[in-house]
Amino acid sequence: MSENILKVSGLQVAYGGIKAVKGLDLEVNRGELVTLIGANGAGKTTTLKAITGTLPPCRIEGEILYLGQPLRGTQSFRMVQQKLAMVPEGRGVFTRMTIHENLLMGAYTRNDKAGIAADVDKWYAVFPRLKERSAQLAGTLSGGEQQMLAMARALMCHPTLLLLDEPSMGLSPIMVEKIFEVIRDVSRQGITMLLVEQNAKLALQAADRGYVMESGSLIMTGEAARMLDDPRVQAAYLGE
Ligand SMILES: Nc1ncnc2c1ncn2[C@@H]1O[C@H](COP(=O)(O)OP(=O)(O)OP(=O)(O)O)[C@@H](O)[C@H]1O
Ligand SMILES: [Mg+2]
């Protein structure tokens, strides 16, 4: 039987009078790449923030279980220790630290020095641009370069679950390809991921399962390959 890494039940989030999430049920099993797609304002980022406990003050209802335990209210620093990592919308790198320091920060809960050094080298091999600029302040990197760094940093903690919020946003077509290549690679290595994307086609092509969110509610879920063939998904999200 597949092991539940994340189980969200009846999640509701309201900002003041605005209901952003209206009763969402979602599961991610070990080793799966699950994608959550939907239009602007559908409630995708709100859902990820509810999982990571990083929402601004608002009303939250429902249950979020991570490895079978409630996660609600968990602070970010505890998240890393529980090997739950997130690459937020808009990247969130430490702008006043160098690229190298950012990567080491990602591994701060680890103490296997040789393993950390090997991982840094691995990410420099995947993203040579970061290696060339390893001593540069992260805040001076281009948007796409910051996105690469944010992914690499999140993976430095060897997460049990990686949450990605629109990793392709603002990237050139070649960089979008590269980021998705990395996502597929990381997935093949067995890391469990929940991927929020505007690029529904690439996300569904990479994912095992998908969920479609509209105005705070899920309107569809299923195997990603089937969703790609679904005329409703094609019309609304794939521009076909
Ligand atoms: N801090 C906030 N205060 C009030 N309303 C908010 C806040 N954050 C989000 N909202 C509202 O909640 C709804 C869902 O927003 P959310 O950011 O979750 O959407 P999204 O699916 O991630 O969209 P996008 O694809 O544009 O990133 C939107 O209507 C948004 O205006
Ligand atoms: Mg968002």
Side-chain angles (χ1 to χ4, degrees):
M1 230 193 81
S2 50
E3 184 194 350
N4 238 195
I5 296 286
L6 179 72
K7 187 172 168 66
V8 178
S9 317
L11 178 68
Q12 297 187 49
V13 182
Y15 300 107
I18 300 167
K19 284 189 181 160
V21 179
K22 306 167 185 167
L24 176 130
D25 299 313
L26 174 151
E27 286 180 18
V28 184
N29 297 313
R30 189 175 289 279
E32 272 191 320
L33 169 48
V34 173
T35 187
L36 176 60
I37 58 177
N40 291 124
K44 307 179 298 295
T45 297
T46 300
T47 301
L48 290 189
K49 285 185 175 170
I51 295 166
T52 55
T54 49
L55 281 169
C58 58
R59 269 185 297 124
I60 309 175
E61 280 172 48
E63 187 177 55
I64 299 171
L65 297 179
Y66 172 65
L67 300 172
Q69 301 291 323
L71 248 185
R72 233 170 74 176
T74 303
Q75 305 254 322
S76 324
F77 73 93
R78 275 180 59 198
M79 252 172 67
V80 181
Q81 281 165 352
Q82 295 180 55
K83 297 205 172 287
L84 173 58
M86 163 125 140
V87 178
E89 209 173 24
R91 286 112 200 178
V93 297
F94 299 119
T95 53
R96 290 166 174 233
M97 290 186 184
T98 67
I99 287 157
H100 202 78
E101 287 163 348
N102 265 276
L103 290 175
L104 295 180
M105 280 301 286
Y108 84 95
T109 53
R110 292 170 59 185
N111 44 28
D112 56 324
K113 268 197 167 162
I116 293 171
D119 277 355
V120 169
D121 284 347
K122 182 181 85 181
W123 289 112
Y124 282 158
V126 174
F127 298 122
R129 196 78 73 83
L130 296 182
K131 183 173 186 178
E132 286 163 23
R133 292 162 170 70
S134 64
Q136 190 173 318
L137 291 183
T140 64
L141 290 172
S142 77
E145 291 163 354
Q146 288 190 31
Q147 186 62 41
M148 295 180 220
L149 178 60
M151 283 240 359
R153 192 189 64 185
L155 286 159
M156 284 295 295
C157 78
H158 293 175
T160 299
L161 176 63
L162 178 63
L163 307 171
L164 294 163
D165 197 353
E166 304 210 24
S168 77
M169 191 168 55
L171 299 185
S172 67
I174 288 174
M175 275 312 304
V176 171
E177 273 303 321
K178 175 97 189 174
I179 283 283
F180 268 90
E181 207 178 283
V182 172
I183 289 170
R184 285 191 296 264
D185 229 50
V186 166
S187 175
R188 276 194 291 270
Q189 287 161 28
I191 291 181
T192 309
M193 277 180 279
L194 177 57
L195 167 68
V196 163
E197 258 295 339
Q198 286 281 337
N199 193 326
K201 187 164 192 172
L202 275 175
L204 288 171
Q205 281 170 344
D208 300 301
R209 285 192 303 116
Y211 291 89
V212 181
M213 197 168 183
E214 212 174 86
S215 310
S217 305
L218 291 177
I219 55 159
M220 201 185 297
T221 178
E223 272 177 48
R226 288 192 179 209
M227 290 171 73
L228 272 172
D229 290 335
D230 189 307
R232 289 170 299 169
V233 176
Q234 288 174 348
Y237 299 100
L238 304 179
E240 287 173 7

Tab-separated table of all heavy atoms in Angstrom, residues 111-155:
chain	number	residue	atom	x	y	z
A	111	ASN	N	24.826	17.339	9.402
A	111	ASN	CA	26.207	17.519	9.875
A	111	ASN	C	27.196	16.589	9.188
A	111	ASN	O	28.310	16.398	9.646
A	111	ASN	CB	26.308	17.398	11.405
A	111	ASN	CG	25.507	16.226	11.905
A	111	ASN	OD1	25.339	15.252	11.164
A	111	ASN	ND2	24.998	16.296	13.132
A	112	ASP	N	26.787	16.027	8.058
A	112	ASP	CA	27.708	15.194	7.264
A	112	ASP	C	28.453	16.084	6.281
A	112	ASP	O	28.032	16.278	5.147
A	112	ASP	CB	26.920	14.107	6.527
A	112	ASP	CG	25.805	14.664	5.633
A	112	ASP	OD1	25.174	15.675	6.038
A	112	ASP	OD2	25.583	14.122	4.539
A	113	LYS	N	29.597	16.625	6.754
A	113	LYS	CA	30.329	17.629	5.957
A	113	LYS	C	30.650	17.163	4.544
A	113	LYS	O	30.477	17.916	3.592
A	113	LYS	CB	31.637	17.987	6.674
A	113	LYS	CG	31.497	19.177	7.585
A	113	LYS	CD	32.869	19.723	7.931
A	113	LYS	CE	32.717	21.092	8.565
A	113	LYS	NZ	33.896	21.511	9.304
A	114	ALA	N	31.126	15.923	4.440
A	114	ALA	CA	31.527	15.418	3.122
A	114	ALA	C	30.310	15.319	2.210
A	114	ALA	O	30.380	15.669	1.026
A	114	ALA	CB	32.208	14.063	3.257
A	115	GLY	N	29.189	14.870	2.777
A	115	GLY	CA	27.961	14.733	1.987
A	115	GLY	C	27.459	16.090	1.523
A	115	GLY	O	27.001	16.235	0.390
A	116	ILE	N	27.550	17.081	2.399
A	116	ILE	CA	27.109	18.440	2.046
A	116	ILE	C	27.968	18.977	0.898
A	116	ILE	O	27.450	19.499	-0.088
A	116	ILE	CB	27.178	19.379	3.276
A	116	ILE	CG1	26.143	18.939	4.322
A	116	ILE	CG2	26.952	20.830	2.864
A	116	ILE	CD1	26.270	19.646	5.673
A	117	ALA	N	29.284	18.802	1.036
A	117	ALA	CA	30.192	19.293	-0.013
A	117	ALA	C	29.894	18.594	-1.342
A	117	ALA	O	29.886	19.224	-2.403
A	117	ALA	CB	31.651	19.062	0.402
A	118	ALA	N	29.607	17.300	-1.266
A	118	ALA	CA	29.307	16.547	-2.494
A	118	ALA	C	28.019	17.060	-3.124
A	118	ALA	O	27.918	17.177	-4.353
A	118	ALA	CB	29.193	15.056	-2.181
A	119	ASP	N	27.021	17.389	-2.276
A	119	ASP	CA	25.757	17.910	-2.809
A	119	ASP	C	25.947	19.289	-3.442
A	119	ASP	O	25.348	19.580	-4.476
A	119	ASP	CB	24.709	17.999	-1.693
A	119	ASP	CG	24.024	16.660	-1.469
A	119	ASP	OD1	24.292	15.723	-2.238
A	119	ASP	OD2	23.213	16.559	-0.528
A	120	VAL	N	26.760	20.131	-2.798
A	120	VAL	CA	27.028	21.454	-3.382
A	120	VAL	C	27.649	21.265	-4.776
A	120	VAL	O	27.205	21.875	-5.753
A	120	VAL	CB	27.964	22.294	-2.479
A	120	VAL	CG1	28.443	23.542	-3.210
A	120	VAL	CG2	27.240	22.685	-1.188
A	121	ASP	N	28.620	20.362	-4.861
A	121	ASP	CA	29.252	20.104	-6.168
A	121	ASP	C	28.241	19.588	-7.178
A	121	ASP	O	28.258	19.969	-8.349
A	121	ASP	CB	30.386	19.073	-6.021
A	121	ASP	CG	31.626	19.707	-5.408
A	121	ASP	OD1	31.686	20.955	-5.346
A	121	ASP	OD2	32.524	18.957	-4.967
A	122	LYS	N	27.332	18.727	-6.697
A	122	LYS	CA	26.326	18.168	-7.595
A	122	LYS	C	25.466	19.288	-8.187
A	122	LYS	O	25.230	19.339	-9.388
A	122	LYS	CB	25.446	17.176	-6.829
A	122	LYS	CG	24.393	16.517	-7.704
A	122	LYS	CD	23.528	15.553	-6.930
A	122	LYS	CE	22.380	16.285	-6.267
A	122	LYS	NZ	21.505	15.415	-5.481
A	123	TRP	N	25.030	20.218	-7.309
A	123	TRP	CA	24.171	21.298	-7.818
A	123	TRP	C	24.930	22.258	-8.698
A	123	TRP	O	24.368	22.797	-9.660
A	123	TRP	CB	23.441	22.008	-6.668
A	123	TRP	CG	22.392	21.106	-6.113
A	123	TRP	CD1	22.370	20.516	-4.877
A	123	TRP	CD2	21.242	20.596	-6.804
A	123	TRP	NE1	21.286	19.684	-4.768
A	123	TRP	CE2	20.569	19.719	-5.921
A	123	TRP	CE3	20.718	20.799	-8.080
A	123	TRP	CZ2	19.404	19.041	-6.296
A	123	TRP	CZ3	19.559	20.133	-8.440
A	123	TRP	CH2	18.920	19.272	-7.549
A	124	TYR	N	26.221	22.448	-8.411
A	124	TYR	CA	27.034	23.283	-9.308
A	124	TYR	C	27.168	22.619	-10.674
A	124	TYR	O	27.252	23.293	-11.700
A	124	TYR	CB	28.421	23.532	-8.703
A	124	TYR	CG	28.441	24.598	-7.622
A	124	TYR	CD1	29.466	24.632	-6.675
A	124	TYR	CD2	27.457	25.579	-7.567
A	124	TYR	CE1	29.503	25.598	-5.691
A	124	TYR	CE2	27.487	26.552	-6.587
A	124	TYR	CZ	28.515	26.562	-5.648
A	124	TYR	OH	28.555	27.524	-4.689
A	125	ALA	N	27.178	21.290	-10.686
A	125	ALA	CA	27.267	20.586	-11.978
A	125	ALA	C	25.942	20.719	-12.737
A	125	ALA	O	25.929	20.882	-13.959
A	125	ALA	CB	27.622	19.120	-11.745
A	126	VAL	N	24.820	20.664	-12.003
A	126	VAL	CA	23.507	20.797	-12.657
A	126	VAL	C	23.320	22.226	-13.184
A	126	VAL	O	22.819	22.454	-14.272
A	126	VAL	CB	22.366	20.440	-11.679
A	126	VAL	CG1	20.999	20.712	-12.304
A	126	VAL	CG2	22.459	18.967	-11.248
A	127	PHE	N	23.713	23.191	-12.355
A	127	PHE	CA	23.548	24.615	-12.721
A	127	PHE	C	24.917	25.306	-12.751
A	127	PHE	O	25.295	26.006	-11.804
A	127	PHE	CB	22.672	25.331	-11.688
A	127	PHE	CG	21.267	24.803	-11.578
A	127	PHE	CD1	20.791	24.331	-10.363
A	127	PHE	CD2	20.403	24.808	-12.667
A	127	PHE	CE1	19.487	23.862	-10.233
A	127	PHE	CE2	19.091	24.345	-12.546
A	127	PHE	CZ	18.637	23.870	-11.343
A	128	PRO	N	25.665	25.141	-13.851
A	128	PRO	CA	27.024	25.720	-13.924
A	128	PRO	C	27.014	27.231	-13.673
A	128	PRO	O	27.982	27.791	-13.167
A	128	PRO	CB	27.466	25.409	-15.349
A	128	PRO	CG	26.595	24.284	-15.799
A	128	PRO	CD	25.307	24.414	-15.063
A	129	ARG	N	25.917	27.881	-14.014
A	129	ARG	CA	25.792	29.329	-13.814
A	129	ARG	C	25.996	29.679	-12.335
A	129	ARG	O	26.568	30.708	-12.000
A	129	ARG	CB	24.408	29.752	-14.271
A	129	ARG	CG	24.202	31.210	-14.505
A	129	ARG	CD	24.770	31.667	-15.811
A	129	ARG	NE	23.959	31.203	-16.933
A	129	ARG	CZ	22.860	31.834	-17.357
A	129	ARG	NH1	22.458	32.934	-16.760
A	129	ARG	NH2	22.198	31.386	-18.384
A	130	LEU	N	25.506	28.828	-11.451
A	130	LEU	CA	25.647	29.086	-10.017
A	130	LEU	C	27.095	28.904	-9.579
A	130	LEU	O	27.592	29.616	-8.717
A	130	LEU	CB	24.737	28.152	-9.203
A	130	LEU	CG	23.235	28.311	-9.422
A	130	LEU	CD1	22.479	27.354	-8.498
A	130	LEU	CD2	22.783	29.746	-9.164
A	131	LYS	N	27.763	27.950	-10.179
A	131	LYS	CA	29.162	27.709	-9.812
A	131	LYS	C	30.022	28.911	-10.189
A	131	LYS	O	30.811	29.394	-9.385
A	131	LYS	CB	29.684	26.457	-10.505
A	131	LYS	CG	31.104	26.126	-10.102
A	131	LYS	CD	31.572	24.816	-10.644
A	131	LYS	CE	32.942	24.521	-10.072
A	131	LYS	NZ	33.453	23.228	-10.512
A	132	GLU	N	29.823	29.404	-11.417
A	132	GLU	CA	30.585	30.570	-11.878
A	132	GLU	C	30.414	31.747	-10.924
A	132	GLU	O	31.286	32.572	-10.784
A	132	GLU	CB	30.063	31.044	-13.239
A	132	GLU	CG	30.419	30.188	-14.409
A	132	GLU	CD	29.517	30.503	-15.609
A	132	GLU	OE1	28.961	31.625	-15.677
A	132	GLU	OE2	29.354	29.601	-16.454
A	133	ARG	N	29.230	31.821	-10.301
A	133	ARG	CA	28.911	32.981	-9.478
A	133	ARG	C	28.847	32.639	-7.990
A	133	ARG	O	28.193	33.354	-7.222
A	133	ARG	CB	27.543	33.530	-9.908
A	133	ARG	CG	27.530	34.144	-11.287
A	133	ARG	CD	26.126	34.274	-11.826
A	133	ARG	NE	26.066	35.059	-13.051
A	133	ARG	CZ	26.529	34.656	-14.218
A	133	ARG	NH1	27.097	33.478	-14.339
A	133	ARG	NH2	26.436	35.447	-15.282
A	134	SER	N	29.530	31.615	-7.571
A	134	SER	CA	29.333	31.103	-6.206
A	134	SER	C	29.600	32.125	-5.103
A	134	SER	O	29.001	32.058	-4.037
A	134	SER	CB	30.180	29.853	-5.985
A	134	SER	OG	31.534	30.180	-6.078
A	135	ALA	N	30.485	33.103	-5.376
A	135	ALA	CA	30.809	34.089	-4.347
A	135	ALA	C	29.977	35.363	-4.486
A	135	ALA	O	30.133	36.315	-3.722
A	135	ALA	CB	32.301	34.433	-4.414
A	136	GLN	N	29.071	35.378	-5.458
A	136	GLN	CA	28.245	36.564	-5.711
A	136	GLN	C	27.049	36.588	-4.750
A	136	GLN	O	26.526	35.523	-4.388
A	136	GLN	CB	27.765	36.472	-7.160
A	136	GLN	CG	27.086	37.696	-7.701
A	136	GLN	CD	26.813	37.543	-9.209
A	136	GLN	OE1	27.652	37.045	-9.968
A	136	GLN	NE2	25.641	37.953	-9.629
A	137	LEU	N	26.598	37.781	-4.371
A	137	LEU	CA	25.419	37.868	-3.508
A	137	LEU	C	24.183	37.419	-4.283
A	137	LEU	O	23.979	37.810	-5.438
A	137	LEU	CB	25.215	39.303	-3.011
A	137	LEU	CG	26.265	39.831	-2.021
A	137	LEU	CD1	25.886	41.239	-1.562
A	137	LEU	CD2	26.419	38.904	-0.825
A	138	ALA	N	23.359	36.614	-3.619
A	138	ALA	CA	22.208	36.024	-4.307
A	138	ALA	C	21.250	37.089	-4.826
A	138	ALA	O	20.606	36.917	-5.857
A	138	ALA	CB	21.484	35.056	-3.379
A	139	GLY	N	21.172	38.229	-4.107
A	139	GLY	CA	20.275	39.306	-4.519
A	139	GLY	C	20.641	39.925	-5.854
A	139	GLY	O	19.820	40.602	-6.473
A	140	THR	N	21.879	39.708	-6.303
A	140	THR	CA	22.310	40.280	-7.585
A	140	THR	C	22.123	39.306	-8.742
A	140	THR	O	22.422	39.626	-9.874
A	140	THR	CB	23.798	40.701	-7.532
A	140	THR	OG1	24.588	39.524	-7.326
A	140	THR	CG2	24.061	41.687	-6.408
A	141	LEU	N	21.625	38.120	-8.453
A	141	LEU	CA	21.358	37.158	-9.526
A	141	LEU	C	20.110	37.567	-10.304
A	141	LEU	O	19.237	38.239	-9.761
A	141	LEU	CB	21.112	35.760	-8.949
A	141	LEU	CG	22.301	35.032	-8.336
A	141	LEU	CD1	21.822	33.762	-7.649
A	141	LEU	CD2	23.339	34.702	-9.389
A	142	SER	N	20.009	37.117	-11.535
A	142	SER	CA	18.778	37.351	-12.312
A	142	SER	C	17.666	36.501	-11.713
A	142	SER	O	17.927	35.583	-10.922
A	142	SER	CB	19.002	36.959	-13.775
A	142	SER	OG	18.962	35.552	-13.906
A	143	GLY	N	16.433	36.807	-12.112
A	143	GLY	CA	15.285	36.061	-11.588
A	143	GLY	C	15.420	34.560	-11.825
A	143	GLY	O	15.182	33.746	-10.932
A	144	GLY	N	15.808	34.194	-13.037
A	144	GLY	CA	15.943	32.776	-13.376
A	144	GLY	C	17.046	32.102	-12.573
A	144	GLY	O	16.902	30.962	-12.128
A	145	GLU	N	18.145	32.833	-12.388
A	145	GLU	CA	19.257	32.277	-11.597
A	145	GLU	C	18.838	32.096	-10.136
A	145	GLU	O	19.192	31.110	-9.492
A	145	GLU	CB	20.487	33.196	-11.694
A	145	GLU	CG	21.123	33.191	-13.077
A	145	GLU	CD	22.061	34.376	-13.319
A	145	GLU	OE1	22.137	35.284	-12.452
A	145	GLU	OE2	22.693	34.414	-14.378
A	146	GLN	N	18.049	33.046	-9.624
A	146	GLN	CA	17.560	32.913	-8.242
A	146	GLN	C	16.643	31.700	-8.112
A	146	GLN	O	16.625	31.024	-7.093
A	146	GLN	CB	16.817	34.178	-7.798
A	146	GLN	CG	17.751	35.336	-7.576
A	146	GLN	CD	17.073	36.526	-6.902
A	146	GLN	OE1	16.152	36.379	-6.121
A	146	GLN	NE2	17.555	37.710	-7.224
A	147	GLN	N	15.867	31.447	-9.173
A	147	GLN	CA	14.977	30.295	-9.155
A	147	GLN	C	15.772	28.986	-9.079
A	147	GLN	O	15.427	28.073	-8.341
A	147	GLN	CB	14.092	30.317	-10.399
A	147	GLN	CG	13.024	29.256	-10.432
A	147	GLN	CD	12.035	29.392	-9.292
A	147	GLN	OE1	11.619	30.493	-8.934
A	147	GLN	NE2	11.680	28.282	-8.692
A	148	MET	N	16.866	28.922	-9.844
A	148	MET	CA	17.737	27.729	-9.796
A	148	MET	C	18.303	27.558	-8.395
A	148	MET	O	18.336	26.452	-7.841
A	148	MET	CB	18.949	27.899	-10.727
A	148	MET	CG	18.658	27.991	-12.174
A	148	MET	SD	20.251	28.194	-13.037
A	148	MET	CE	19.784	29.379	-14.256
A	149	LEU	N	18.749	28.683	-7.827
A	149	LEU	CA	19.358	28.627	-6.492
A	149	LEU	C	18.327	28.200	-5.445
A	149	LEU	O	18.626	27.379	-4.558
A	149	LEU	CB	19.955	30.000	-6.135
A	149	LEU	CG	20.580	30.118	-4.743
A	149	LEU	CD1	21.726	29.112	-4.567
A	149	LEU	CD2	21.115	31.540	-4.506
A	150	ALA	N	17.110	28.719	-5.562
A	150	ALA	CA	16.070	28.376	-4.589
A	150	ALA	C	15.767	26.876	-4.625
A	150	ALA	O	15.579	26.238	-3.583
A	150	ALA	CB	14.799	29.183	-4.876
A	151	MET	N	15.737	26.302	-5.825
A	151	MET	CA	15.492	24.856	-5.959
A	151	MET	C	16.630	24.063	-5.346
A	151	MET	O	16.418	23.120	-4.594
A	151	MET	CB	15.403	24.475	-7.447
A	151	MET	CG	14.142	24.836	-8.057
A	151	MET	SD	13.137	23.539	-8.744
A	151	MET	CE	13.841	22.003	-8.609
A	152	ALA	N	17.847	24.453	-5.713
A	152	ALA	CA	19.013	23.718	-5.212
A	152	ALA	C	19.084	23.819	-3.694
A	152	ALA	O	19.333	22.828	-2.998
A	152	ALA	CB	20.295	24.269	-5.855
A	153	ARG	N	18.819	25.007	-3.167
A	153	ARG	CA	18.885	25.178	-1.708
A	153	ARG	C	17.849	24.311	-1.005
A	153	ARG	O	18.142	23.668	0.005
A	153	ARG	CB	18.682	26.648	-1.334
A	153	ARG	CG	19.025	26.901	0.120
A	153	ARG	CD	18.636	28.280	0.571
A	153	ARG	NE	17.202	28.460	0.530
A	153	ARG	CZ	16.594	29.613	0.783
A	153	ARG	NH1	17.309	30.679	1.052
A	153	ARG	NH2	15.289	29.692	0.742
A	154	ALA	N	16.638	24.275	-1.539
A	154	ALA	CA	15.585	23.462	-0.912
A	154	ALA	C	15.971	21.989	-0.911
A	154	ALA	O	15.672	21.259	0.040
A	154	ALA	CB	14.263	23.662	-1.652
A	155	LEU	N	16.642	21.562	-1.962
A	155	LEU	CA	16.986	20.139	-2.068
A	155	LEU	C	18.203	19.763	-1.222
A	155	LEU	O	18.451	18.582	-0.984
A	155	LEU	CB	17.208	19.774	-3.534
A	155	LEU	CG	15.886	19.686	-4.312
A	155	LEU	CD1	16.112	19.844	-5.803
A	155	LEU	CD2	15.173	18.373	-4.003
